[in-house]
């Protein structure tokens, strides 16, 4: 009998386009996936949610793996993204987070003043708190059987701080932004704590099976250029540095939504790819970034409300603006709950068909 331990995760991939494109290498077609590709617009996701709460799905590796695979079974996407949420880090720090249907995340007891920082767990055991995510990654890797790479992710320090202080979604995140000016030292302390955890969490995700990672700074656009340079950029850079030191071959993507002024500085960090929202011009972004990073994006999610023929024309224009190299096609933000899955299919198919012409 062969006593050798067999790694249950296949080391070869049938499709590694996204890894190649993120590293700036040539691909036969432009790889494509969609942020929030597993979610409420899929009836099969709704069926799981009818039986289980959101955080129950996140916390149960079997369910998280099932939902992660749903878009991969339905569309020829070039990657799976692990089903979880950026708010698992605030939870690991001891803050309660509820997901209110139709409203989004709600923190019953947010960090209203710096004194409340003492409520946070001082040195949370990530393996104990987030072991379910690592298990979900390992399980999903096995079930993928090398079909496409698996993406891990985390929220960026500023975006997590915004939710932790504000207590939920908000148009202006006034309370969180107030902290940056009223309590800059406490803000830096919180951002530093989050940075250490996020970096360790991403390193562990890659150890558990993630083949690419993305950091979501969804609320970067609330900061101005200078505030971003002060309160977001150094922490984002530190996360990339630590992650790449541990996993030099695993590509890392950063998405600073709404912050076009950040592109030049982000290109100087260790991220392999920069994700653009739909308001950013890919040609201008490429001029700024040069060959320092791959680019991801950036169709307006609302373009998926158009008829499939129009979606195809929009994809054609998008591919033209990015060009054939170092581009990972995606939306400029996530899928929306009332999107039609057939229109997502039109988007994915158009990327493959129209990029194959090059
Ligand atoms: O992309 C994927 O398919 C993977 C899963 C994923 C989710 N959240 C599942 C989810 C990912 C990558 C996220 C990231 C996330 N979560 C971000 C960054 C990306 C972005 O959208 O800017 C943010 C800001 C969050 C926090 C969060 N979680 C919000 C604001 C909401 C509510 C908004 C909404 O769409 O309802 C969530 C809930 C959430 N996270 C859902 C899903 C599928 C819907 C919850 C449900 O099923 O009821």
């Amino acid at each position: 009998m062969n006593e050798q331990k067999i790694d249950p995760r296949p080391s070869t991939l049938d499709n590694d386009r996204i890894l190649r494109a993120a590293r700036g290498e040539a691909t036969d077609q432009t790889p494509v996936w969609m942020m929030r590709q597993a979610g409420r617009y899929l009836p099969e996701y709704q069926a799981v949610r009818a039986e289980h709460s959101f955080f129950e799905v996140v916390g149960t590796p079997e369910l998280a793996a099932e939902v992660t695979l749903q878009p991969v079974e339905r569309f020829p996407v070039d990657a799976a993204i692990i089903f979880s949420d950026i708010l698992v880090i605030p939870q690991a720090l001891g803050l309660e987070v509820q997901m209110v249907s139709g409203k989004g995340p709600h923190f019953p007891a947010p960090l209203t003043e710096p004194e409340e920082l003492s409520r946070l767990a001082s040195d949370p055991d990530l393996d104990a708190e987030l072991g379910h995510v690592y298990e979900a990654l390992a399980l999903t890797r096995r079930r993928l059987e090398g079909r496409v790479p698996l993406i891990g992710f985390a929220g960026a320090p500023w975006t997590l701080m915004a939710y932790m202080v504000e207590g939920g979604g908000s148009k202006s995140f006034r309370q969180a932004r107030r902290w940056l000016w009223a309590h800059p030292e406490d803000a830096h302390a919180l951002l530093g704590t989050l940075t250490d955890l996020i970096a360790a969490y991403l390193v562990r995700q890659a150890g558990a099976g993630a083949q690419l990672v993305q950091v979501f700074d969804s609320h970067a656009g609330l900061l101005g250029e200078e505030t971003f340079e002060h309160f977001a950029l150094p922490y984002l850079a530190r996360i990339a540095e630590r992650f790449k030191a541990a996993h030099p071959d695993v590509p890392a993507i950063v998405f600073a939504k709404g912050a076009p002024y950040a592109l030049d500085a982000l290109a100087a960090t260790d991220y392999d790819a920069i994700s653009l929202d739909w308001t950013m011009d890919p040609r201008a972004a490429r001029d700024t970034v040069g060959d320092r990073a791959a680019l991801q994006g950036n169709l307006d999610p609302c373009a998926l409300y158009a008829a499939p023929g129009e979606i195809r024309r929009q994809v054609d224009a998008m591919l033209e603006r990015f060009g054939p190299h170092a581009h990972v096609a995606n939306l400029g933000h996530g899928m929306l709950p009332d999107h039609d899955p057939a229109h997502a299919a039109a988007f994915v198919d158009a990327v493959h068909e129209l990029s194959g012409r090059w």
Side-chain angles (χ1 to χ4, degrees), residues 260-329:
Y261 47 76
L263 291 175
D264 186 44
L266 289 174
T269 66
D270 289 344
Y271 291 98
D272 300 272
I274 299 173
S275 201
L276 307 182
D277 70 45
W278 70 95
T279 69
M280 300 176 185
D281 172 12
R283 281 181 285 225
R286 179 52 73 201
D287 282 348
T288 302
V289 168
D291 62 3
R292 293 178 293 169
L295 296 175
Q296 173 172 271
N298 77 337
L299 191 72
D300 182 348
C302 289
L304 295 192
Y305 293 120
E310 179 60 20
I311 292 172
R312 197 178 161 87
R313 276 189 290 281
Q314 293 296 323
V315 167
D316 196 33
M318 173 185 78
L319 292 171
E320 199 63 44
R321 287 187 203 112
F322 278 96
H325 302 301
H327 176 214
V328 174

Side-chain angles (χ1 to χ4, degrees), residues 34 37-49 57 62-77 79-81 83 140 144 147:
M34 294 162 291
Q37 64 185 14
R40 288 163 297 178
Y41 74 105
L42 291 177
E44 55 270 37
Y45 174 80
Q46 297 280 14
V48 173
R49 282 284 280 106
V57 180
E62 181 65 38
L63 293 173
E66 177 185 341
V67 170
T68 300
L69 291 172
Q70 286 174 346
V72 178
E73 308 288 356
R74 198 187 251 268
F75 313 114
V77 282
I81 177 162
F83 189 82
T140 307
L144 275 169
R147 278 175 284 174

Side-chain angles (χ1 to χ4, degrees), residues 115-196:
E115 294 75 66
E116 309 203 39
L117 286 172
S118 61
R119 285 173 35 218
L120 299 181
S122 59
D123 188 16
D125 178 350
L126 284 188
D127 282 357
E129 299 293 335
L130 298 171
H132 57 85
V133 180
Y134 312 140
E135 270 178 58
L137 285 161
L139 184 59
T140 307
R141 265 297 286 280
R142 288 200 290 279
R143 300 237 171 110
L144 275 169
E145 295 180 304
R147 278 175 284 174
V148 290
L150 177 58
I151 304 175
F153 71 91
W158 157 246
T159 288
L160 293 185
M161 175 184 163
Y163 282 108
M164 292 163 77
V165 172
E166 202 75 23
S170 148
K171 216 176 192 144
S172 67
F173 281 87
R174 191 156 61 95
Q175 296 305 328
R177 289 192 298 125
R178 179 179 71 91
W179 260 56
L180 301 182
W181 296 97
H183 315 295
E185 280 171 24
D186 299 298
H188 280 299
L190 176 54
L191 292 164
T193 298
L194 288 166
T195 296
D196 292 344

Side-chain angles (χ1 to χ4, degrees), residues 33-40 45 49 54 81-87 99 104-105 153 159 163 216 218-219 333:
W33 66 286
M34 294 162 291
M35 290 190 256
R36 294 282 181 96
Q37 64 185 14
R40 288 163 297 178
Y45 174 80
R49 282 284 280 106
F54 175 71
I81 177 162
I82 194 66
F83 189 82
S84 185
D85 201 86
I86 62 168
L87 301 174
M99 200 53 77
F153 71 91
T159 288
Y163 282 108
F216 287 91
S218 304
H219 298 305
H333 199 193

